[in-house]
Amino acid sequence: MRPSCVLLFVATAWPGMSQSPSALMSAHAAARFLDQATWGPTPASIAELQREGIPTWLNEQFAISTSNLPDQPILDSSGKPNHDMKPVQAAFFQNAVTQPDQLRQRVAFALSQMWVVSAEGGPSAYAFPPYWRIFRNNAFGNYRDIVKAVTLNPAMGRYLNMANNNKANPAKGTSANENYARELMQLFTLGLAELNPDGTAVLDQHKNPIPTYDQTVVTNLAKVLTGWTYPPAPGAQPRNNNPEYYFGQLIPVETEHDTSAKTIFNSVTIPSGQTAEQDLESLLNALMAQPTMAPFVSLQLIQHLVTSNPSPQYIQRVSSVFSNDGTGTTGNLRAVITAILADPEARAADDPSAALNPAFGHLREPVLFMANILRGLNATLTLSSTIYNDTSIQSENLFVPPSVFSYFSPQYRLPGGLLGPEFQIYTTETAAERADVVAAILYGKIDKSTTVNLAPFVQLAGDTGRLLNYVSSTFLHGSMSNALNQAATDAVNAAATPTAKAQAALYIVLTSGEYQIVQ
């Protein structure tokens, strides 16, 4: 797909795009799309997508931004720094389950897993709502704006030492801190090796991958990023190195900025004599011109939204849109997300009779697993909900990843070689925890502030076939296998009451491999 065709293709070429009743997309196709673009399909959202068509739905999603994480107190009740993440985590899940800006939230969460700041030994809790809003606000904006906003965000400034990174002082034997410079390249923008547009490594004459940078580049890039400090707290006297304060952006301190010439990746030279702000702009321009960024970022977004193992052709189609959205713009995330969801590889199984690629799809990570179930069961959450505890025991503690490498690596591979990032935190123990969580949700023991509505399922319990069809359409895109159908039928027939039958059917399906893997 050529970059110039992206938006036209979206508007005219997807199956089920017409508003004509005879051409409506199937419920199966709608549910699959929503599993990739939202926190989970519901009977109502499936019907809405069928009624509106994808172009209208997408335009609505691009336009709305209703979810928010409320600002938190700087100090706790005892006057100490506030490190209580629970209100932030609870608000996140309430938004995921109930707010309508579903695509924005999914993309923002994916971006936050790429640009990691962790509360584990990191910033105070009040740093996280402002940090999250970078991804919410820019989910459909330009990747360049995300790079700049994160670079100047105090939470990242604290986590990877971007704040108070002073120029070298030979008299004191100090040099610029290299932490953020290294991770900016390795994890956030370029990766370790240069990539072709299809995500494969660029090889030298000896068939070895070509590194995107070396230690000299790290050292020079660290110099580029010197001279920034925290914004002063209200009423505080500004200093060269302000103490931590997480509202606002980092501010430049020119006396602490290294003004020498620096040669960075791609042999780009940043001239001498520039200010901290000018050096940052030069760096942003160099990053957006580096061709490796497009496939590096595109692959990870595809993995989070659609499939762990996209083909090289899929990566190339998306990265070409990242490089040029058809107007000459690089990094247009609205166009990139559209290309990811529109791609023939993403939509190939919308026809239930199509042969299914066994390598397609991805494991539902705990945050997505929980939100998906709760949306399908029309759950009600309050800000006292403790759902975040249930993802934590499944090894995904929201906003508290164990390191800058996030909850799991996008490069994690399964035995046999397939990429399977989410499987890095899938163990015998967490698999058992998933089953326990499903039981707690269905039997009303998840927490006192979270309730689910089983009534639509209970109403159908008198007819096993209709009940299982409804469960399948809600959670499996209407594609339950014969083996799973038989297991669920046996469980339903062994139950005595309509409620017990509905619970039995849901338990069998929601603990099945067919549900755990999004296809």
Side-chain angles (χ1 to χ4, degrees), residues 35-36 43 57 65 68 74 85 106 109 139 169 184 224 226 248 265 275 300 302 315 330 334 346 362 396 431-432 498:
D35 235 339
Q36 296 165 355
W57 187 90
S65 180
N68 193 21
I74 296 176
M85 291 296 297
R106 276 296 303 276
F109 186 57
N169 186 330
L184 174 64
V224 172
T226 54
F265 51 83
T275 66
Q300 292 188 66
I302 293 169
I315 297 171
T330 301
R334 174 170 173 165
H362 62 97
E396 193 169 28

Side-chain angles (χ1 to χ4, degrees), residues 150-317:
V150 173
T151 299
L152 296 182
N153 180 266
M156 180 60 80
R158 163 68 172 80
Y159 189 59
L160 290 180
N161 310 113
M162 172 66 189
N164 296 336
N165 178 24
N166 298 332
K167 66 182 180 181
N169 186 330
K172 295 182 178 180
T174 63
S175 58
N177 190 293
E178 298 178 353
N179 202 7
Y180 183 68
R182 181 177 290 103
E183 306 305 359
L184 174 64
M185 293 185 290
Q186 178 182 346
L187 299 178
F188 305 155
T189 57
L190 304 178
L192 293 173
E194 292 185 11
L195 301 176
N196 294 305
D198 66 359
T200 58
V202 177
L203 303 179
D204 63 18
Q205 60 183 346
H206 303 295
K207 306 298 183 183
N208 296 316
I210 299 174
T212 51
Y213 62 89
D214 57 19
Q215 180 55 42
T216 299
V217 171
V218 174
T219 299
N220 286 336
L221 191 57
K223 296 177 182 179
V224 172
L225 295 169
T226 54
W228 296 89
T229 189
Y230 296 102
Q237 182 67 32
R239 301 184 299 193
N240 279 8
N241 286 179
N242 289 324
E244 296 172 21
Y245 183 70
Y246 296 113
F247 291 124
Q249 288 189 329
L250 302 183
I251 60 174
V253 181
E254 297 304 335
T255 56
E256 297 295 350
H257 177 61
D258 188 317
T259 58
S260 65
K262 308 101 174 168
T263 300
I264 56 173
F265 51 83
N266 265 24
S267 299
V268 171
T269 296
I270 295 179
S272 63
Q274 293 197 150
T275 66
E277 293 170 290
Q278 289 170 332
D279 270 12
L280 178 57
E281 290 299 318
S282 295
L283 169 59
L284 294 173
N285 292 338
L287 283 170
M288 298 309 293
Q290 220 287 19
T292 288
M293 180 189 285
F296 180 79
V297 174
S298 297
L299 168 60
Q300 292 188 66
L301 289 173
I302 293 169
Q303 287 181 314
H304 282 294
L305 297 176
V306 177
T307 181
S308 296
N309 289 274
S311 68
Q313 295 79 14
Y314 188 2
I315 297 171
Q316 181 159 357
R317 289 189 292 266

Side-chain angles (χ1 to χ4, degrees), residues 39-46 93-100 102 369-382 387 441-442 446 449-459 470-471 474-475 506 510 515:
W39 289 110
T42 67
S45 67
I46 292 170
F93 274 105
Q94 188 179 56
N95 289 336
V97 174
T98 65
Q99 289 295 322
Q102 288 284 298
F369 173 70
M370 295 295 298
N372 192 284
I373 291 176
L374 293 172
R375 279 180 58 77
L377 296 178
N378 194 29
T380 300
L381 288 75
T382 73
I387 292 299
I441 291 173
L442 294 175
I446 191 69
S449 299
T450 304
T451 58
V452 296
N453 179 14
L454 300 184
F457 302 92
V458 174
Q459 290 169 5
Y470 188 67
V471 173
T474 302
F475 293 106
L506 287 163
L510 295 177
Y515 175 69

